[in-house]
Amino acid sequence: MAIGIFMKTMASNAPIGVFDSGLGGLSVLRELVRALPQENFIYVADSGHCPYGGKTQDEIVARASAITDFLLASDAKLIVVACNTATIAAVEYLRATYSVSFVGMEPAVKPAVAATRSGIIGVLATGAALKGEKLLRLIDRHASAVTVITQPCPGLVEQVEIGDLSGPETRRLLTNYTQPLLTAGADTLVLGCTHYPFLRDTLVDIVGPDVRLLDTGEAVARRVETLLARESLQTSSAASGRIDWYTSGEPATMALAGARLWGAPVSARTVPQT
Ligand code: DGL
């Protein structure tokens, strides 16, 4: 009995693991911290292997598994795959392989179908995400009544990774990727990559205020909250939680771009594996 109580306390004060191919997952972490301010988090940016968008499914599964091993060795009580591409490529494998609970991203196709008035929605995502069966199934299941145009966006992740959210090259890419969708009549765009919410202001500037831009960071935070309650894993601490930052890339680069995206200093350590 005493052991059971001890273990539960350990688990509930353990951190929530969050990972992405790089810094895009900060758009999800922002919502998680807002919803669960007392929880501790470990964030892993796999910037040394970013972007995932041009990788094969096997390569993404290998990266997601290596990071999961690190997060579990760091006592993570739940893992958020804060990357659409990694979710689409690897979350089924992760769930079948590890006993910890995973929360993944689901591009906001369902809310977009509910929101569109023109009946045409655009999905912006990485090439690998758009090739994934999981996304195709989501579109098949929920969007048969509307026209869905998918748009791969190579280069955008890299712009966010260097913290360039509104420079000429970022604007050029965003204009190129959104123009065909607007010309086709899309009035709702799904931001199907966790890096893209950081481009929201520039996107609004380019597509205008009447086009809806949907992401799912908030929905993921609600899902995590529900799962923690269901599994009795909420922290027992009343104080503000802590974030431990790790990167497989250069800590100095993460400090620079991370501070820009996070709005506060991000002091990352090198992730000790792979
Ligand atoms: N943030 C990742 C996503 O949500 C970007 C993937 C990449 O690195 O290409 O898809």
Side-chain angles (χ1 to χ4, degrees):
M1 183 65 170
I3 289 174
I5 291 168
F6 176 68
M7 284 179 65
K8 186 169 251 187
T9 306
M10 287 289 285
S12 65
N13 286 329
I16 296 170
V18 182
F19 76 90
D20 177 49
S21 64
L23 302 176
L26 297 181
S27 68
V28 181
L29 185 62
R30 182 172 64 189
E31 300 301 334
L32 287 165
V33 170
R34 196 172 289 157
L36 302 161
Q38 279 89 31
E39 294 290 343
N40 295 317
F41 294 92
I42 302 184
Y43 184 89
V44 179
D46 199 14
S47 298
H49 301 266
C50 186
Y52 283 179
K55 292 194 182 345
T56 64
Q57 179 166 16
D58 284 353
E59 287 169 334
I60 298 170
V61 166
R63 291 310 308 149
S65 302
I67 294 167
T68 296
D69 289 338
F70 167 69
L71 289 171
L72 291 179
S74 309
D75 285 335
K77 61 184 174 185
L78 182 144
I79 295 179
V80 180
V81 184
C83 174
N84 289 267
T85 310
T87 300
I88 287 166
V91 81
E92 278 161 23
Y93 173 86
L94 296 174
R95 287 188 176 129
T97 307
Y98 298 93
S99 55
V100 69
S101 291
F102 290 89
V103 175
M105 305 304 299
E106 182 174 287
V109 171
K110 269 189 275 179
V113 171
T116 181
R117 287 194 206 109
S118 68
I120 302 167
I121 68 177
V123 179
L124 303 168
T126 68
L130 292 176
K131 276 190 230 130
E133 273 293 309
K134 207 171 155 59
L135 179 59
L136 300 179
R137 281 202 305 268
L138 184 73
I139 293 173
D140 259 12
R141 202 173 321 128
H142 298 286
S144 54
V146 304
T147 301
V148 180
I149 309 170
T150 57
Q151 174 65 57
C153 303
L156 279 187
V157 164
E158 289 88 332
Q159 293 305 108
V160 176
E161 284 292 303
I162 58 171
D164 182 345
L165 308 183
S166 58
E169 176 60 6
T170 302
R171 292 185 73 88
R172 188 188 68 79
L173 290 170
L174 287 173
T175 305
N176 285 351
Y177 295 144
T178 53
Q179 206 51 58
L181 305 177
L182 300 186
T183 305
D187 65 351
T188 306
L189 301 182
V190 173
L191 306 183
C193 167
T194 55
H195 282 74
Y196 302 167
F198 289 112
L199 303 169
R200 184 177 277 272
D201 290 349
T202 311
L203 260 172
V204 171
D205 209 35
I206 290 169
V207 302
D210 295 336
V211 175
R212 281 175 214 81
L213 303 173
L214 303 178
D215 72 82
T216 42
E218 229 182 293
V220 164
R222 279 199 302 274
R223 172 84 189 129
V224 169
E225 206 170 352
T226 305
L227 263 186
L228 289 180
R230 187 181 303 162
E231 297 183 11
S232 302
L233 286 175
Q234 301 109 314
T235 181
S236 53
S237 163
S240 290
R242 193 184 74 239
I243 305 172
D244 288 332
W245 307 97
Y246 286 90
T247 179
S248 62
E250 279 298 320
T253 311
M254 176 146 174
L256 274 179
R260 170 111 201 255
L261 302 180
W262 190 247
V266 167
S267 170
R269 280 172 277 183
T270 303
V271 65
Q273 44 89 29
T274 65

